[in-house]
Amino acid sequence: MGRPKQFDPEAAVDKAMGLFWRKGFTETTPQDLVAELGIGKGSLYHTFTSKRALFDLALARYVDMRVAGITETLDAPGPVVERLRAALQRLADGDVALTSRGCLAVNTAVELAGSDEAASDAVRRLFERIEGAFRAAIEEGQRSGEIAADRASRDVASLLLTAFIGMSVLAKNRDAERLRRVVDAVMALL
């Protein structure tokens, strides 16, 4: 009979997510993971089967976390335009330690796009979910009269997604003032 796990696999995925977020998939070695998670290589491979499988779990966790944060902001009570601003403003006002890493999905797209279809699909799904959340909020704003109804909600949602992605890259440079200007400019277009 095997020994019971001496670590929490869910907590390990969270720690791995942080490491992949800091170093990227390619630069993170199995030894880095072992050191970060505080487990042996055997436990790493027995529990997660491979570095890639652990990365996939970490990226999926990140995607769910990111979408939950945005939808929570967009689903809050209050005027739609203010909720859209708040969703973008989260990047401008975010925790420097967190935002200076940028967005794990954007980092993954830059690192692995074109060479890794599974990672590209995961990132694409995140972007679709974020864009869908923006679109739902825009359509709500159009119904309430806060946002002009003659604008294609899909196009405006794509613009907001693009701003969100660009802001994720800008956040790596810790330029909060520039991020706030982007939020103001994007909101002025609504």
Side-chain angles (χ1 to χ4, degrees), residues 52-80:
R52 179 49 193 254
L54 180 54
F55 175 74
D56 290 343
L57 289 171
L59 184 57
R61 169 100 24 103
Y62 177 83
V63 165
D64 290 342
M65 177 185 78
R66 194 64 180 238
V67 170
I70 290 168
T71 56
E72 179 182 318
T73 301
L74 292 175
D75 290 344
V80 171

Side-chain angles (χ1 to χ4, degrees), residues 145-165:
E146 290 180 66
I147 298 173
D150 64 342
R151 295 194 177 154
S153 61
R154 180 179 177 196
D155 296 345
V156 177
S158 292
L159 171 68
L160 290 173
L161 173 66
T162 302
F164 187 82
I165 292 168

Side-chain angles (χ1 to χ4, degrees), residues 23-66:
K23 294 187 75 171
F25 175 75
T26 305
E27 293 298 316
T28 299
T29 66
Q31 188 55 45
D32 292 335
L33 288 166
V34 166
E36 183 79 11
L37 305 180
I39 62 174
K41 265 191 183 175
S43 293
L44 175 72
Y45 288 110
H46 177 73
T47 303
F48 301 109
T49 69
S50 67
K51 169 184 146 178
R52 179 49 193 254
L54 180 54
F55 175 74
D56 290 343
L57 289 171
L59 184 57
R61 169 100 24 103
Y62 177 83
V63 165
D64 290 342
M65 177 185 78
R66 194 64 180 238

Side-chain angles (χ1 to χ4, degrees), residues 98-176:
L98 183 64
T99 58
S100 65
R101 291 186 277 173
C103 168
L104 177 59
V106 172
N107 296 349
T108 298
V110 170
E111 179 184 5
L112 301 175
S115 65
D116 188 318
E117 194 58 35
S120 294
D121 284 345
V123 171
R124 192 175 306 112
R125 283 190 304 275
L126 169 66
F127 293 164
E128 287 169 357
R129 289 172 69 186
I130 292 172
E131 186 173 33
F134 281 140
R135 186 174 182 180
I138 291 159
E139 289 172 352
E140 179 186 342
Q142 288 174 322
R143 287 189 301 275
S144 71
E146 290 180 66
I147 298 173
D150 64 342
R151 295 194 177 154
S153 61
R154 180 179 177 196
D155 296 345
V156 177
S158 292
L159 171 68
L160 290 173
L161 173 66
T162 302
F164 187 82
I165 292 168
M167 290 176 66
S168 295
V169 174
L170 288 173
K172 292 181 83 161
N173 288 318
R174 302 174 185 196
D175 190 348

